[in-house]
Amino acid sequence: VLSPSCRHRHSNPGVNWKHKDAAIYLVTSLASKAQTAKHGITQANELVNLTEFFVNHILTDLKSQNVNEFPVLKADAIKYVMIFRSQLPKEQLLQAVPLLVAHLQAESTVEHTYAAHALERLFTMRGPNNSTLITPAEMAPFTEQLLNNLFKALALPGSSENEYIMKAIMRSFSLLQEAIVSYIPTLIGQLTHKLLLVSRNPSKPHFNHYLFESLCLSIRITCKANTTTVGSFEEALFPVFTEILQNDVQEFVPYVFQVMSLLLEIHTSSIPNSYMALFPHLLQPVLWERTGNIPPLVRLLQAYLEKGGATIASSAADKIPGLLGVFQKLIASKANDHQGFYLMNSIIEHMPTESIVQYRKQIFILLFQRLQSSKTTKFIKSFMVFINLYGVKYGAIALQEIFDSIQPKMFGMVLEKIVIPEVQKVSGPVEKKICAVGITKILTECPAMIDTEYTKLWTPLLQALIGLFELPEDDSIPDDEHFIDIEDTPGYQTAFSQLAFAGKKEHDPIGDVVSNPKILLAQSLHKLSTACPGRVPSMLSTSLNAEALQYLQGYLQAASVQLV
């Protein structure tokens, strides 16, 4: 039935093309048994030979020299490749790729949109070893034409903000990686110009998102090969970013902060002057009123602190209260308190000690006020990471002293009421490591834990630390917390859209200084026991449970040390 319909079209193509259109529709309908958006047709009818139909009837339309002739049949052919991509052999898909690239120049909006979408879907197919099915090496002969045709397609009528084309650009960059480096100087100008145009009237959120993702990929791929090129990206992008920020283009501001974070994090030396000029503006309260700005702004301030903590302390010391004001606003919010802790942890880690010493007590007072007014599991987890990071950075004695300076015996209350019962709730490998190292310091480097009324907490704290190492994470949430209202934001607010290709690596503030916290605990206990012979074994034997003691013996053996 099908082949005659297709052959009938060849006898008088100008009139009979509709027969083939119907035949392809029939094949598609008959052959499809199961379909997903991610993979296309996943189960096909065995009675339909999809490969043979592709060779005999689809390829002829794709190979036609005139991409604008019979646009309906061309669109049918492209759609066939797209939906049966999981069923067709790789050789045929590779055969189709340059033909799809050529169809990006078709005048028909449907045709060049289908071509872009089909290429984007082919580029996401997985091959062996979790790699892409189509490799950059296999794309090498078509790379230049692919990039040229994709950007030319954006100039076609009706497609100046075509999200399928922009997504195909993003996916092509991601697939080709370093193969695009030589083209980036030309392409970044086109992307920047497009960004300038759409920023004046943002109307296509998906298009805009893929545009920013493509910018991030350009930066990542080029700077991976040569970090000094970061300056050329800043020259190209900063004028447009300045216009976006000055005109307060709300949809784009969170994206701009993410791209700026990515650029700043790539810098290897001190913070450039162009960033320092912007720093005071980032602390303006109006920016922090919008929920969509908060995650990218916090990340950007973290990048400032990481690259220029000393510079801020020396040349912008008057802005430190503003930085702490942002922290105060964030930790007062149940929705954003974790962002406040991210910021404070970076301040503790990167700011020179003397620049924040006068503010330390006030920071802790603010945290205690929030604990009293609204104690949530999320806040407790972040609070524990913060106090342990503080102990790691400034020492366990400093941590004990600052607590007890706020209120006598406060240190003991925090250990007893928060750290010991709640540390099991801490999640994430870096967070657990910070808590483990911090608690080890409290146990072994804080004289008050050995010689005062705090001594009764020593063994329970050690037991809690061994639990953190060995027991499963406690992810339970108190019943009443289920009903806590997260603040409603009045009116419409632009949501925060995370850029996948602006992703930030997880940062470990302790790094390689401590590779195994269990070994550190064993070594630290050994050191303490040599300073106070007999004390440590006696405290262990009286109140540490047998299972925990067994784990501890294992740590001591692994570290090749003994307690005396």
Side-chain angles (χ1 to χ4, degrees):
V1 175
L2 303 174
S3 290
S5 296
C6 293
R7 284 198 297 271
H8 183 51
R9 173 246 169 174
H10 291 296
S11 61
N12 187 357
V15 175
N16 296 328
W17 62 266
K18 291 179 185 175
H19 294 290
K20 185 169 184 180
D21 176 42
I24 295 172
Y25 177 77
L26 196 55
V27 168
T28 304
S29 303
L30 288 171
S32 309
K33 285 179 77 177
Q35 183 172 4
T36 67
K38 189 174 181 181
H39 301 290
I41 301 296
T42 53
Q43 263 186 297
N45 190 325
E46 299 84 17
L47 299 174
V48 181
N49 189 327
L50 295 170
T51 304
E52 188 181 294
F53 192 83
F54 173 81
V55 172
N56 294 338
H57 304 296
I58 297 297
L59 215 49
T60 49
D61 285 320
L62 289 177
K63 283 182 171 177
S64 164
Q65 293 299 307
N66 184 355
V67 294
N68 294 314
E69 189 181 33
F70 304 119
V72 173
L73 292 181
K74 297 282 199 304
D76 286 342
I78 296 167
K79 187 177 179 185
Y80 185 94
V81 174
M82 183 165 58
I83 66 170
F84 291 116
R85 61 187 181 275
S86 296
Q87 306 298 317
L88 295 171
K90 181 178 174 178
E91 302 76 55
Q92 293 186 349
L93 297 178
L94 285 173
Q95 214 178 346
V97 166
L99 306 175
L100 293 172
V101 169
H103 283 80
L104 290 168
Q105 292 190 289
E107 291 168 4
S108 160
T109 304
V110 172
E111 198 179 326
H112 63 243
T113 300
Y114 271 26
H117 187 44
L119 286 164
E120 192 272 330
R121 292 290 80 196
L122 292 183
F123 292 167
T124 57
M125 292 179 72
R126 290 188 191 278
N129 306 321
N130 213 26
S131 58
T132 53
L133 180 69
I134 297 172
T135 66
E138 288 164 337
M139 284 302 299
F142 326 119
T143 296
E144 188 165 347
Q145 192 190 1
L146 169 70
L147 296 172
N148 279 338
N149 286 7
L150 280 168
F151 278 87
K152 281 181 184 171
L154 288 173
L156 291 167
S159 282
S160 63
E161 293 180 38
N162 186 319
E163 68 187 65
Y164 293 97
I165 297 171
M166 189 50 76
K167 193 176 186 183
I169 290 171
M170 174 195 80
R171 199 70 70 190
S172 301
F173 283 9
S174 181
L175 171 71
L176 297 167
Q177 291 291 320
E178 56 269 17
I180 67 166
V181 169
S182 59
Y183 302 101
I184 287 297
T186 309
L187 300 181
I188 197 70
Q190 296 183 54
L191 289 170
T192 309
H193 180 64
K194 180 60 73 176
L195 176 59
L196 188 62
L197 293 177
V198 297
S199 69
R200 286 167 185 165
N201 183 23
S203 56
K204 298 281 184 70
H206 289 105
F207 177 88
N208 299 335
H209 188 88
Y210 300 137
L211 171 57
F212 276 101
E213 292 280 22
S214 301
L215 286 169
C216 291
L217 277 162
S218 307
I219 294 164
R220 268 190 186 285
I221 293 164
T222 311
C223 294
K224 184 180 174 185
N226 179 5
T227 53
T228 59
T229 55
V230 69
S232 57
F233 283 103
E234 288 164 348
E235 280 177 33
L237 291 167
F238 273 22
V240 191
F241 286 177
T242 303
E243 189 168 318
I244 289 168
L245 294 174
Q246 284 177 344
N247 295 331
D248 193 22
V249 184
Q250 291 188 26
E251 297 91 332
F252 283 7
V253 168
Y255 287 127
V256 168
F257 291 147
Q258 287 179 79
V259 181
M260 286 184 68
S261 299
L262 179 62
L263 290 165
L264 185 50
E265 285 158 7
I266 290 166
H267 278 276
T268 50
S269 56
S270 60
I271 197 162
N273 291 334
S274 53
Y275 287 89
M276 283 310 296
L278 183 65
F279 182 66
H281 302 287
L282 301 178
L283 304 176
Q284 290 176 352
V286 66
L287 279 178
W288 296 90
E289 295 299 326
R290 293 187 205 134
T291 52
N293 285 350
I294 289 171
L297 257 180
V298 166
R299 178 183 168 187
L300 182 54
L301 288 180
Q302 284 184 289
Y304 270 88
L305 290 161
E306 183 191 336
K307 299 296 177 183
T311 309
I312 292 168
S314 59
S315 63
D318 58 325
K319 299 296 178 284
I320 295 174
L323 202 56
L324 297 174
V326 169
F327 161 75
Q328 183 175 356
K329 178 180 172 58
L330 293 174
I331 59 135
S333 152
K334 295 188 195 82
N336 298 311
D337 48 16
H338 62 293
Q339 296 285 349
F341 278 109
Y342 292 160
L343 183 60
M344 183 47 64
N345 291 348
S346 289
I347 291 171
I348 295 296
E349 187 184 353
H350 299 295
M351 290 289 281
T353 307
E354 64 280 1
S355 65
I356 59 163
V357 70
Q358 61 182 306
Y359 306 109
R360 283 194 215 166
K361 191 171 178 179
Q362 187 57 35
I363 290 165
F364 277 85
I365 289 169
L366 287 170
L367 293 174
F368 281 120
Q369 286 171 346
R370 168 63 207 274
L371 270 173
Q372 287 174 328
S373 65
S374 173
K375 187 175 82 169
T376 64
T377 301
K378 177 161 74 90
F379 185 86
I380 290 287
K381 286 161 71 171
S382 298
F383 177 72
M384 271 192 285
V385 174
F386 165 72
I387 62 174
N388 282 295
L389 181 65
Y390 188 97
V392 171
K393 176 74 188 272
Y394 299 122
I397 297 172
L399 183 65
Q400 177 247 316
E401 286 176 346
I402 198 158
F403 277 130
D404 288 347
S405 71
I406 295 168
Q407 185 182 318
K409 301 184 183 178
M410 173 75 86
F411 182 58
M413 283 189 274
V414 170
L415 292 180
E416 188 177 3
K417 304 289 187 193
I418 297 175
V419 177
I420 293 168
E422 305 280 11
V423 74
Q424 206 59 43
K425 289 191 164 86
V426 173
S427 54
V430 172
E431 289 82 356
K432 286 185 173 183
K433 183 178 177 182
I434 291 167
C435 289
V437 176
I439 292 171
T440 298
K441 283 183 170 289
I442 293 169
L443 287 166
T444 61
E445 296 177 16
C446 181
M449 290 297 291
I450 302 293
D451 299 326
T452 68
E453 68 273 23
Y454 296 151
T455 308
K456 66 179 189 291
L457 299 170
W458 193 91
T459 313
L461 184 61
L462 176 61
Q463 177 108 18
L465 175 55
I466 295 169
L468 180 65
F469 287 143
E470 306 299 344
L471 296 176
E473 180 191 317
D474 175 8
D475 56 3
S476 62
I477 292 175
D479 292 341
D480 57 341
E481 217 168 287
H482 172 73
F483 299 101
I484 287 177
D485 282 331
I486 298 297
E487 300 92 306
D488 291 321
T489 46
Y492 169 76
Q493 295 234 327
T494 307
F496 166 61
S497 296
Q498 173 73 53
L499 290 168
F501 294 111
K504 183 185 181 185
K505 282 184 187 169
E506 187 168 40
H507 171 63
D508 179 357
I510 295 169
D512 297 333
V513 176
V514 177
S515 56
N516 185 341
K518 295 177 185 178
I519 300 293
L520 175 75
L521 173 62
Q523 291 168 338
S524 302
L525 286 172
H526 168 70
K527 190 174 171 186
L528 177 66
S529 76
T530 54
C532 317
R535 288 292 304 276
V536 176
S538 105
M539 286 193 288
L540 294 177
S541 61
T542 52
S543 49
L544 193 68
N545 77 28
E547 193 181 2
L549 195 55
Q550 199 175 350
Y551 282 123
L552 184 59
Q553 294 296 348
Y555 309 158
L556 293 165
Q557 283 173 3
S560 306
V561 294
Q562 289 181 323
L563 302 179
V564 294

